[in-house]
Amino acid sequence: MLEALSYEFMQNALIAGMLVSLISGIIGSLIVANRMVFLAGGIAHAAYGGIGIAIFTGIPIFLGTSLFAVAAALFMAFITINQRENIDVFIGLTWAVGMAVGIILVDLTPGYNVDLLSYLFGSILAVNRDDLYFMGLLFVVILFVITFWYRDILAVSYDSEYAALSGINVKFFYTLILVLSALTVVIAIKVVGLILVIALLSIPVYIAQKLSSSLYSMMLISGIIASVFTLIGLLLSYSFNITSGASIILVSALSLMLFMLFTKLR
């Protein structure tokens, strides 16, 4: 593994893995605390529509996917904030329509032979410097949001009724969390793909939740755990020449099972 770090693409993959892991730890904690896992899953699959739009129009993949994912997040926030009883219907609708739009636009793109697996299961070794700049910028934005509005986000995440009575704009923070989740999904697609992204956002958080006593510590611990999973997954991927995204998720799942077994025995 050490000799592989002499290659630029491996250096980029390592940096990307660490950035995405830390971001996933923070946003994944908010998703779990706000019970938005299924919502995030809907956004993740709907994001494929953005991939199709980017390929069809020729704009950068990250840009097209980010815009479409944010639009999907805003739509879900607008629909579900006051209609929680129909949330499953709208998530399924957004999920299906987004993927259908992406598939059709890819089919209509003349002369384009797309490697669907790279988007479905990730292609971390294809990360370039521009991708890293985008990930780094998103990490800085998320740190700023969490630092500046931590108490408000904490109140909204655990007791939205109390937060509303306290004068906190619950709708704004609900929408903000969904938008940040959408952008996190976009960058995580590069690492583990849109099919596996929810596992990266939830498995480390589940373990961290059992080891932490506050939202802040849960974010920190889950980010560290996700980084360890990513490092081990990359090592296995390089050693056995297997898909990196699937390797990271299998390491995460196996670690979760061992953690649950240890907890039960203890």
Side-chain angles (χ1 to χ4, degrees):
M1 182 65 175
L2 291 178
E3 67 273 12
L5 292 177
S6 60
Y7 299 106
E8 184 179 1
F9 71 90
M10 281 300 297
Q11 296 171 7
N12 291 344
L14 186 61
I15 296 172
M18 294 301 98
L19 284 172
V20 171
S21 297
L22 294 173
I23 292 171
S24 298
I26 297 172
I27 298 302
S29 297
L30 294 180
I31 289 173
V32 171
N34 286 273
R35 298 175 180 85
M36 292 180 176
V37 174
F38 195 30
L39 270 171
I43 294 172
H45 288 78
Y48 193 80
I51 295 173
I53 291 174
I55 292 172
F56 185 76
T57 59
I59 64 176
I61 296 291
F62 254 166
L63 177 60
T65 311
S66 298
L67 292 175
F68 194 88
V70 169
L74 291 173
F75 171 75
M76 285 192 182
F78 176 75
I79 293 296
T80 61
I81 189 71
N82 293 319
Q83 299 187 50
R84 297 295 181 93
E85 66 277 4
N86 296 319
I87 191 171
D88 292 349
V89 175
F90 292 112
I91 292 173
L93 175 66
T94 307
W95 181 323
V97 170
M99 292 206 72
V101 168
I103 292 170
I104 289 174
L105 288 178
V106 169
D107 290 340
L108 292 177
T109 304
Y112 191 85
N113 184 20
V114 62
D115 179 15
L116 294 178
L117 291 179
S118 66
Y119 300 113
L120 296 177
F121 300 105
S123 181
I124 192 172
L125 297 181
V127 171
N128 55 41
R129 288 292 173 181
D130 290 336
D131 297 336
L132 292 180
Y133 293 146
F134 183 87
M135 294 174 183
L137 177 61
L138 179 59
F139 184 51
V140 171
V141 169
I142 289 174
L143 285 180
F144 172 79
V145 168
I146 296 300
T147 302
F148 192 74
W149 282 311
Y150 177 76
R151 291 185 180 276
D152 294 333
I153 291 174
L154 180 65
V156 170
S157 298
Y158 288 101
D159 195 340
S160 58
E161 292 183 4
Y162 169 79
L165 291 173
S166 301
I168 297 173
N169 191 336
V170 175
K171 291 184 179 180
F172 169 75
F173 287 106
Y174 179 82
T175 305
L176 178 63
I177 292 171
L178 273 180
V179 168
L180 292 178
S181 300
L183 294 174
T184 301
V185 162
V186 170
I187 63 169
I189 286 175
K190 271 284 188 179
V191 178
V192 296
L194 62 87
I195 288 181
L196 305 175
V197 67
I198 292 304
L200 183 64
L201 289 171
S202 58
I203 293 177
V205 175
Y206 178 86
I207 298 175
Q209 198 173 28
K210 304 298 182 181
L211 302 174
S212 57
S213 57
S214 67
L215 180 61
Y216 175 79
S217 60
M218 185 165 70
M219 291 176 179
L220 181 61
I221 294 172
S222 58
I224 294 172
I225 292 173
S227 299
V228 173
F229 291 165
T230 300
L231 279 174
I232 298 175
L234 281 175
L235 176 61
L236 293 176
S237 173
Y238 176 78
S239 301
F240 298 100
N241 193 27
I242 53 180
T243 304
S244 55
S247 302
I248 293 169
I249 298 305
L250 283 179
V251 168
S252 303
L254 179 60
S255 300
L256 174 61
M257 288 187 287
L258 291 175
F259 176 79
M260 293 175 68
L261 178 62
F262 173 77
T263 303
K264 187 174 182 179
L265 291 176
R266 185 180 179 186

